[in-house]
PDB file of all heavy atoms in Angstrom:
ATOM      1  N   LYS A1374       5.440   8.432 -16.259  1.00  0.00           N
ATOM      2  CA  LYS A1374       6.662   8.342 -17.124  1.00  0.00           C
ATOM      3  C   LYS A1374       7.904   8.007 -16.400  1.00  0.00           C
ATOM      4  O   LYS A1374       8.766   7.114 -16.863  1.00  0.00           O
ATOM      5  CB  LYS A1374       6.681   9.599 -17.923  1.00  0.00           C
ATOM      6  CG  LYS A1374       5.659   9.900 -18.887  1.00  0.00           C
ATOM      7  CD  LYS A1374       5.872  11.217 -19.576  1.00  0.00           C
ATOM      8  CE  LYS A1374       4.728  11.648 -20.464  1.00  0.00           C
ATOM      9  NZ  LYS A1374       4.818  12.934 -21.076  1.00  0.00           N
ATOM     10  N   ALA A1375       8.051   8.579 -15.238  1.00  0.00           N
ATOM     11  CA  ALA A1375       9.258   8.272 -14.424  1.00  0.00           C
ATOM     12  C   ALA A1375       9.239   6.836 -13.969  1.00  0.00           C
ATOM     13  O   ALA A1375      10.319   6.094 -14.035  1.00  0.00           O
ATOM     14  CB  ALA A1375       9.231   9.167 -13.208  1.00  0.00           C
ATOM     15  N   LEU A1376       8.120   6.259 -13.656  1.00  0.00           N
ATOM     16  CA  LEU A1376       7.976   4.875 -13.271  1.00  0.00           C
ATOM     17  C   LEU A1376       8.287   4.014 -14.431  1.00  0.00           C
ATOM     18  O   LEU A1376       8.979   3.045 -14.284  1.00  0.00           O
ATOM     19  CB  LEU A1376       6.631   4.535 -12.702  1.00  0.00           C
ATOM     20  CG  LEU A1376       6.307   3.209 -12.257  1.00  0.00           C
ATOM     21  CD1 LEU A1376       7.287   2.664 -11.203  1.00  0.00           C
ATOM     22  CD2 LEU A1376       4.839   3.030 -11.862  1.00  0.00           C
ATOM     23  N   LEU A1377       7.774   4.344 -15.582  1.00  0.00           N
ATOM     24  CA  LEU A1377       8.095   3.441 -16.837  1.00  0.00           C
ATOM     25  C   LEU A1377       9.658   3.487 -17.027  1.00  0.00           C
ATOM     26  O   LEU A1377      10.217   2.388 -17.482  1.00  0.00           O
ATOM     27  CB  LEU A1377       7.405   4.073 -17.930  1.00  0.00           C
ATOM     28  CG  LEU A1377       5.834   3.720 -18.016  1.00  0.00           C
ATOM     29  CD1 LEU A1377       5.211   4.545 -19.240  1.00  0.00           C
ATOM     30  CD2 LEU A1377       5.568   2.257 -18.154  1.00  0.00           C
ATOM     31  N   ILE A1378      10.265   4.645 -17.007  1.00  0.00           N
ATOM     32  CA  ILE A1378      11.706   4.737 -17.290  1.00  0.00           C
ATOM     33  C   ILE A1378      12.409   3.817 -16.179  1.00  0.00           C
ATOM     34  O   ILE A1378      13.435   3.125 -16.575  1.00  0.00           O
ATOM     35  CB  ILE A1378      12.190   6.229 -17.153  1.00  0.00           C
ATOM     36  CG1 ILE A1378      11.598   6.946 -18.352  1.00  0.00           C
ATOM     37  CG2 ILE A1378      13.664   6.252 -17.023  1.00  0.00           C
ATOM     38  CD1 ILE A1378      11.863   8.483 -18.219  1.00  0.00           C
ATOM     39  N   PHE A1379      11.951   3.916 -14.852  1.00  0.00           N
ATOM     40  CA  PHE A1379      12.679   3.242 -13.804  1.00  0.00           C
ATOM     41  C   PHE A1379      12.541   1.827 -14.172  1.00  0.00           C
ATOM     42  O   PHE A1379      13.621   0.965 -14.005  1.00  0.00           O
ATOM     43  CB  PHE A1379      12.078   3.545 -12.547  1.00  0.00           C
ATOM     44  CG  PHE A1379      12.529   2.692 -11.367  1.00  0.00           C
ATOM     45  CD1 PHE A1379      13.664   2.946 -10.756  1.00  0.00           C
ATOM     46  CD2 PHE A1379      11.771   1.634 -10.962  1.00  0.00           C
ATOM     47  CE1 PHE A1379      14.207   2.135  -9.659  1.00  0.00           C
ATOM     48  CE2 PHE A1379      12.165   0.797  -9.944  1.00  0.00           C
ATOM     49  CZ  PHE A1379      13.341   1.026  -9.185  1.00  0.00           C
ATOM     50  N   VAL A1380      11.408   1.277 -14.372  1.00  0.00           N
ATOM     51  CA  VAL A1380      11.128  -0.206 -14.587  1.00  0.00           C
ATOM     52  C   VAL A1380      11.971  -0.599 -15.850  1.00  0.00           C
ATOM     53  O   VAL A1380      12.454  -1.719 -15.934  1.00  0.00           O
ATOM     54  CB  VAL A1380       9.624  -0.562 -14.708  1.00  0.00           C
ATOM     55  CG1 VAL A1380       9.480  -2.050 -15.082  1.00  0.00           C
ATOM     56  CG2 VAL A1380       8.993  -0.288 -13.440  1.00  0.00           C
ATOM     57  N   GLY A1381      11.900   0.279 -16.905  1.00  0.00           N
ATOM     58  CA  GLY A1381      12.616  -0.130 -18.113  1.00  0.00           C
ATOM     59  C   GLY A1381      14.143  -0.190 -17.905  1.00  0.00           C
ATOM     60  O   GLY A1381      14.711  -1.187 -18.398  1.00  0.00           O
ATOM     61  N   VAL A1382      14.720   0.696 -17.116  1.00  0.00           N
ATOM     62  CA  VAL A1382      16.110   0.638 -16.778  1.00  0.00           C
ATOM     63  C   VAL A1382      16.426  -0.660 -16.034  1.00  0.00           C
ATOM     64  O   VAL A1382      17.403  -1.323 -16.204  1.00  0.00           O
ATOM     65  CB  VAL A1382      16.549   1.793 -16.074  1.00  0.00           C
ATOM     66  CG1 VAL A1382      17.980   1.723 -15.534  1.00  0.00           C
ATOM     67  CG2 VAL A1382      16.507   3.067 -16.998  1.00  0.00           C
ATOM     68  N   ALA A1383      15.553  -1.068 -15.075  1.00  0.00           N
ATOM     69  CA  ALA A1383      15.768  -2.184 -14.215  1.00  0.00           C
ATOM     70  C   ALA A1383      15.735  -3.426 -15.059  1.00  0.00           C
ATOM     71  O   ALA A1383      16.503  -4.383 -14.847  1.00  0.00           O
ATOM     72  CB  ALA A1383      14.658  -2.234 -13.204  1.00  0.00           C
ATOM     73  N   VAL A1384      14.761  -3.498 -16.070  1.00  0.00           N
ATOM     74  CA  VAL A1384      14.711  -4.586 -16.963  1.00  0.00           C
ATOM     75  C   VAL A1384      15.981  -4.851 -17.768  1.00  0.00           C
ATOM     76  O   VAL A1384      16.555  -5.873 -17.879  1.00  0.00           O
ATOM     77  CB  VAL A1384      13.452  -4.538 -17.817  1.00  0.00           C
ATOM     78  CG1 VAL A1384      13.514  -5.594 -18.887  1.00  0.00           C
ATOM     79  CG2 VAL A1384      12.196  -4.627 -17.083  1.00  0.00           C
ATOM     80  N   VAL A1385      16.482  -3.749 -18.309  1.00  0.00           N
ATOM     81  CA  VAL A1385      17.662  -3.733 -19.165  1.00  0.00           C
ATOM     82  C   VAL A1385      18.909  -4.169 -18.320  1.00  0.00           C
ATOM     83  O   VAL A1385      19.671  -5.086 -18.678  1.00  0.00           O
ATOM     84  CB  VAL A1385      17.946  -2.352 -19.852  1.00  0.00           C
ATOM     85  CG1 VAL A1385      19.201  -2.448 -20.475  1.00  0.00           C
ATOM     86  CG2 VAL A1385      16.837  -2.011 -20.747  1.00  0.00           C
TER      87      VAL A1385
END
Side-chain angles (χ1 to χ4, degrees):
K1374 292 177 182 177
L1376 179 61
L1377 286 174
I1378 292 172
F1379 172 80
V1380 175
V1382 170
V1384 170
V1385 173

